[in-house]
Amino acid sequence: MTSTMNHQQTRQPAGNSLNTKQMRRILASSFIGSAIEFYDFILYATAASIVFNHVFFSNVPPAVGLFASFGTLAVGYVARPLGGAIFGHFGDRIGRKGVLIVSMVMMGVATTAIGLLPTTAQIGLAAPILLVVLRIVQGLAVGGEWGGAMLVALEHAPAKRRGFAASFANMGGPAGAVLATLVVSAFSTLPDDAFLSWGWRIPFLLSLALIGIGLVIRLQVSETPLFLELENKAEKKKIPVVEVFTKYPKNLVLGTIAGMSSYTVQGLMTVWAVSYAVGAGVDRTGVLNVKAVGATLTIVAIWFAARLSDRYGRKPVMLWGMIAGAVLAYPIIWLLQTDTLWGFAIGLFLANGIIQGVIFGPFGAFVAELFPTRMRYTGASLTYQSASTLGAGFTPMIASGLVLAAGGELWLVALAWAVAFLVCAACVLATKEGKDRDLSGEMT
């Protein structure tokens, strides 16, 4: 009797309002927790663009050092799907809340350790090796973060507001990027010697304070009602990752490729293009500040796109973003080739502020609605993290290689970008709209 009453009390609300004390706390937890985790993860990406090639790969030619730095960045993205599978398994078996606590602690420890890591000049080859190990830990941790943060919001929300609720985890990512970029930008005003010696370390060490704040908020959130309904069901005893690959491989593949679109933009414009612009002589601090403004615009676009997806569906909104991405690929790359701050700014605002935000807004609900509750954490995490690995993890390296292949020109980068977006759009068209699906049942 008590168990039944508890389950009844935790069912999704019948109304359409997110403006209740419980939902406000849940949405805040989703947003802030995701922002803190992605502060740590994106902080590394920023440092890989302008710091690590000087600190950990200073004994090789600059172009090779930058390539190696981007290689350590890619390692973290490779670890993300594995983190999604591991944390997703336990999130589907024992609950969403507990694994989110573990992922946050892991991220905080790894990020702080990077800030304390000796340089190659001090300890030799051990420095880049340890850097790679810590980046893998970061990748595992963030691999489990997004799926849990998104599902805690989505599975508590009224059915008519799922897209908007799920987007709070998506908005947390660029919010973390804004914070990370602004903090690095502030310290980048130091003289080069001071910045490369100790200034870059401070943003990593600040992670300790942020993780403490995140844990306090996250501990106050209850388990999701959809998960609690599975407590006594036999289906919950099955291995989630096996079911995802055997029963829903099509959804996994289509969702992954669709998600690569927004991450291709992120990898190109917030990592590779930052390095390209700074290398072309554009002011480093100005580039970082523009990047922060671009991430802020991404949050705004996510907000509106997610709300539109609750009204018109996930697919139409995402498709408009992908079409815009394919059409604007060449103009954005042309703007980047002006080697000016204004060119970089307009290109970044179009790419990340609008295109990525429009695609990313509905994406949380889009992938969650591809899988049933008993494997949703695993399925959504694998889809999202695989998309991030393929779309963003290797993009800076691929773009650098395409520039070399084109003799220093950027037209191959634009072509690859446009083609990738068209393929992603075809995959969205091949999925079924999930806006009105009953998430407590089986997916078809």
Side-chain angles (χ1 to χ4, degrees), residues 416-440:
W417 178 349
V419 170
F421 266 63
L422 293 175
V423 172
C424 294
C427 288
V428 171
L429 287 171
T431 64
K432 294 183 179 180
E433 178 60 58
K435 178 175 74 76
D436 298 318
R437 280 180 172 166
D438 177 8
L439 295 191
S440 63

Side-chain angles (χ1 to χ4, degrees), residues 86 92 157:
I86 294 172
D92 283 328

Side-chain angles (χ1 to χ4, degrees), residues 73-151:
L73 175 71
V75 166
Y77 279 97
V78 170
R80 285 175 67 163
L82 179 59
I86 294 172
F87 283 98
H89 172 83
F90 290 103
D92 283 328
R93 295 294 293 272
I94 64 176
R96 298 13 178 156
K97 179 180 176 179
V99 296
L100 284 173
I101 302 297
V102 176
S103 73
M104 183 168 280
V105 171
M106 278 181 61
M107 179 63 84
V109 170
T111 303
T112 303
I114 291 173
L116 298 173
L117 190 62
T119 67
T120 301
Q122 294 171 318
I123 62 172
L125 188 60
I129 292 175
L130 288 172
L131 182 67
V132 169
V133 171
L134 292 172
R135 181 58 175 173
I136 290 173
V137 175
Q138 276 195 323
L140 293 173
V142 83
E145 163 63 28
W146 179 86
M150 180 272 294
L151 289 181

Side-chain angles (χ1 to χ4, degrees), residues 66-379:
L66 183 62
F67 187 83
S69 182
F70 284 155
T72 68
L73 175 71
V75 166
Y77 279 97
V78 170
R80 285 175 67 163
L82 179 59
I86 294 172
F87 283 98
H89 172 83
F90 290 103
D92 283 328
R93 295 294 293 272
I94 64 176
R96 298 13 178 156
K97 179 180 176 179
V99 296
L100 284 173
I101 302 297
V102 176
S103 73
M104 183 168 280
V105 171
M106 278 181 61
M107 179 63 84
V109 170
T111 303
T112 303
I114 291 173
L116 298 173
L117 190 62
T119 67
T120 301
Q122 294 171 318
I123 62 172
L125 188 60
I129 292 175
L130 288 172
L131 182 67
V132 169
V133 171
L134 292 172
R135 181 58 175 173
I136 290 173
V137 175
Q138 276 195 323
L140 293 173
V142 83
E145 163 63 28
W146 179 86
M150 180 272 294
L151 289 181
V152 165
L154 178 137
E155 291 183 346
H156 274 100
K160 298 292 186 181
R161 306 299 301 278
R162 290 197 307 242
F164 186 50
S167 73
F168 276 75
N170 290 350
M171 286 187 279
V178 170
L179 182 59
T181 303
L182 288 177
V183 172
V184 175
S185 177
F187 284 95
S188 74
T189 59
L190 292 167
D192 282 351
D193 288 346
F195 178 65
L196 294 176
S197 175
W198 58 269
W200 70 270
R201 298 180 182 274
I202 306 300
F204 285 86
L205 300 179
L206 288 176
S207 175
L208 274 180
L210 294 176
I211 293 297
I213 295 170
L215 287 175
V216 170
I217 296 172
R218 187 153 278 177
L219 286 168
Q220 299 178 28
V221 175
S222 60
E223 187 54 79
T224 75
L226 286 176
F227 176 81
L228 290 175
E229 290 180 1
L230 287 178
E231 285 292 312
N232 299 314
K233 291 184 179 181
E235 289 87 347
K236 182 174 173 285
K237 306 303 180 183
K238 297 178 181 178
I239 300 176
V241 70
V242 173
E243 284 204 281
V244 169
F245 279 104
T246 56
K247 293 188 176 182
Y248 296 91
K250 179 181 176 181
N251 289 6
L252 175 63
V253 171
L254 292 177
T256 297
I257 298 175
M260 285 173 58
S261 54
S262 63
Y263 272 109
T264 296
V265 174
Q266 180 177 309
L268 279 172
M269 296 304 297
T270 66
V271 181
W272 171 76
V274 168
S275 176
Y276 177 88
V278 172
V282 182
D283 177 65
R284 179 178 64 195
T285 301
V287 166
L288 292 175
N289 289 337
V290 164
K291 181 181 173 183
V293 175
T296 304
L297 292 176
T298 305
I299 297 172
V300 175
I302 288 173
W303 176 285
F304 284 104
R307 293 176 71 92
L308 287 173
S309 80
D310 278 332
R311 183 172 182 178
Y312 299 108
R314 324 304 181 202
K315 292 174 59 176
V317 177
M318 291 174 64
L319 284 170
W320 274 112
M322 292 174 186
I323 292 170
V327 170
L328 293 175
Y330 277 91
I332 290 172
I333 292 298
W334 176 83
L335 286 165
L336 189 62
Q337 283 186 289
T338 63
D339 296 340
T340 61
L341 184 60
W342 68 264
F344 174 78
I346 296 174
L348 187 80
F349 296 162
L350 287 172
N352 293 94
I354 299 177
I355 295 169
Q356 184 183 13
V358 169
I359 299 170
F360 208 38
F363 188 63
F366 173 79
V367 297
E369 290 160 353
L370 293 175
F371 305 97
T373 303
R374 68 177 186 275
M375 67 183 82
R376 185 169 296 127
Y377 199 143
T378 302

Side-chain angles (χ1 to χ4, degrees), residues 49-83:
S49 299
I50 61 175
V51 176
F52 290 163
N53 54 318
H54 301 291
V55 175
F56 296 108
F57 304 100
S58 57
N59 55 343
V60 296
V64 177
L66 183 62
F67 187 83
S69 182
F70 284 155
T72 68
L73 175 71
V75 166
Y77 279 97
V78 170
R80 285 175 67 163
L82 179 59

